[in-house]
């Protein structure tokens, strides 16, 4: 309640999981991705009640099943994104696994996507959903792309753009694009501080983040792509040449919610009393409902 009626701005970078994954950028396989996800579940899963490493001793077959399921569903998400029309894909954050193919393989990008969503995107969405009950919350994702395909957009990379010191600098390739993107970000943030609304003439209207409710959708609509995601979980995407509102996090949230409920059931069936974290469950039931389907 301390933030009631206080405007809030919250966001993530596109490739947060570079911070989280432990596999090699080149030479890794999708089996390495599964093992990376499995390792992370054991040491840092905050979506279940208890300590961060509450899953450290769960049975190997259960952990393997959940990791494989997560990887398979993310691969399906990427496949459906690739099958979408250009118009629909433009309504989403970039979900391809070849964003930085010169420096990383698809297995690495997939691992970074899955673990980055767990460590950063889901926490950001839960905060936005919770605070949105009594405050105006606006969300963003920083995708950069001033030097396309050459570097990942890691945790905190947006900060230098906010303070007017973006990289690359000087006359280096991409420097002018970085300065322009930085100016858009500084203008939006300054307007937010002044008025509580980060909308500006250069980026357009930036609406309050809205989350779909159970009455707004049917079960078959949880997996949206390759159809249009419409206005689900809109974020302002700060990206060179594509700063605009995009859908971000709806399907990813659904994937994690599904598999954490499966994990809870699998563990309870063998006598483990580990439950899905209450905030995550409440948000999932509010948006998706019908937990029995899993």
């Amino acid at each position: 309640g301390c933030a009631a009626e206080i405007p809030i701005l919250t966001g993530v970078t596109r490739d947060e999981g570079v911070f989280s994954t432990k596999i090699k950028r080149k030479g890794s396989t999708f089996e390495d991705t599964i093992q990376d996800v499995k390792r992370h579940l054991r040491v840092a899963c905050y979506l279940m009640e208890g300590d961060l490493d509450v899953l450290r001793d769960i049975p190997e077959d259960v952990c393997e099943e959940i990791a494989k399921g997560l990887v398979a569903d993310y691969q399906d998400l990427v496949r459906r994104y690739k099958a979408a029309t250009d118009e629909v894909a433009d309504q989403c954050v970039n979900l391809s696994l070849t964003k930085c193919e010169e420096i990383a393989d698809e297995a690495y990008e997939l691992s970074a996507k899955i673990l980055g969503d767990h460590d950063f995107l889901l926490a950001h969405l839960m905060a936005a959903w919770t605070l949105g009950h009594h405050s105006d919350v606006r969300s963003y994702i920083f995708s950069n792309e001033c030097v396309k395909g050459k570097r990942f957009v890691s945790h905190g990379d947006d900060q230098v753009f906010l303070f007017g010191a973006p990289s690359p600098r000087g006359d280096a390739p991409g420097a002018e694009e970085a300065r322009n993107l930085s100016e858009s970000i500084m203008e939006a943030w300054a307007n937010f501080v002044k008025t509580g609304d980060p909308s500006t003439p250069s980026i357009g209207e930036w609406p309050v983040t809205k989350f779909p409710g159970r009455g707004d959708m049917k079960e078959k609509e949880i997996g949206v792509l390759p159809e249009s995601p419409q206005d689900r979980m809109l974020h302002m995407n700060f990206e060179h040449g594509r700063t605009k509102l995009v859908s971000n996090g709806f399907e990813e949230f659904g994937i994690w919610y599904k598999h954490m409920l499966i994990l809870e059931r699998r563990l309870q069936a063998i006598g483990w009393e580990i439950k899905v974290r209450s905030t995550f469950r409440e948000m999932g039931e509010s948006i998706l409902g019908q937990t029995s389907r899993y």
Side-chain angles (χ1 to χ4, degrees), residues 16-25 32-33 36 39-40 107-108 111-113 115-116 119:
E16 295 276 12
V18 171
F19 176 88
S20 309
T21 181
K22 301 299 183 185
I23 65 176
K24 296 182 295 182
R25 290 191 175 186
D32 293 325
T33 301
D36 200 28
R39 172 199 60 80
H40 205 74
Y108 177 88
S111 189
K113 170 62 177 169
L115 299 185
D119 289 358

Side-chain angles (χ1 to χ4, degrees), residues 12-257:
V12 292
T13 62
R14 188 192 65 194
D15 306 318
E16 295 276 12
V18 171
F19 176 88
S20 309
T21 181
K22 301 299 183 185
I23 65 176
K24 296 182 295 182
R25 290 191 175 186
K26 284 290 189 178
S28 293
T29 67
F30 289 120
E31 178 58 32
D32 293 325
T33 301
I34 293 171
Q35 296 307 312
D36 200 28
V37 172
K38 187 168 69 173
R39 172 199 60 80
H40 205 74
L41 287 171
R42 289 192 182 279
V43 301
C45 184
Y46 69 92
L47 299 178
M48 309 299 284
E49 297 282 5
D51 294 336
L52 200 58
D53 62 348
V54 67
L55 301 179
R56 62 189 178 276
D57 295 323
I58 65 171
E60 177 70 14
D61 62 325
V62 175
C63 197
E64 181 93 5
E65 174 190 339
I66 299 302
K68 285 183 175 179
L70 284 165
V71 170
D73 277 358
Y74 266 89
Q75 288 176 314
D76 178 65
L77 173 60
V78 172
R79 178 191 61 76
R80 289 185 285 110
Y81 170 78
K82 292 170 65 176
T85 64
D86 290 344
E87 180 182 1
V88 169
D90 194 47
Q91 298 172 29
C92 307
V93 68
N94 188 347
L95 296 174
S96 76
L97 299 181
T98 55
K99 297 183 292 292
C100 296
E101 58 186 340
E102 291 186 22
I103 61 173
D105 293 333
E106 291 189 15
Y108 177 88
E109 291 208 31
L110 182 60
S111 189
K113 170 62 177 169
I114 296 171
L115 299 185
D117 286 352
H118 172 271
D119 289 358
F120 297 93
L121 178 60
L122 296 183
H124 150 74
L125 292 175
M126 284 191 283
W129 177 78
T130 303
L131 293 167
H133 285 80
H134 48 68
S135 297
D136 285 344
V137 180
R138 289 175 172 84
S139 303
Y140 72 91
I141 181 165
F142 181 66
S143 297
N144 197 344
E145 292 289 21
C146 291
V147 182
K148 192 172 181 63
K150 300 292 186 180
R151 60 178 68 180
F152 287 104
V153 193
S154 304
H155 182 65
D157 278 359
D158 51 332
Q159 298 302 304
V160 293
F161 284 76
L162 172 59
F163 291 105
S167 177
R169 301 174 184 170
D171 296 326
E176 181 179 357
E177 291 84 348
R179 287 191 294 270
N180 292 337
L181 187 58
S182 178
E183 288 175 3
S184 294
I185 290 173
M186 289 191 292
E187 183 185 18
W189 263 242
N191 212 44
F192 174 72
V193 171
K194 182 179 180 180
T195 68
D197 184 349
S199 304
T200 68
S202 62
I203 66 173
E205 181 183 358
W206 186 340
V208 171
T209 304
K210 295 182 179 180
F211 295 88
R214 282 175 291 183
D216 300 331
M217 35 184 281
K218 302 175 183 178
E219 180 175 342
K220 67 179 181 180
E221 293 177 327
I222 293 175
V224 179
L225 290 171
E227 302 301 321
S228 170
Q230 300 177 346
D231 59 351
R232 288 182 173 87
M233 298 186 185
L234 288 179
H235 288 58
M236 184 61 70
N237 177 50
F238 285 97
E239 178 180 342
H240 167 60
R242 203 171 76 98
T243 294
K244 57 176 294 183
L245 290 168
V246 299
S247 176
N248 180 43
F250 175 74
E251 294 212 42
E252 293 90 330
F253 180 89
I255 289 171
W256 276 97
Y257 181 61

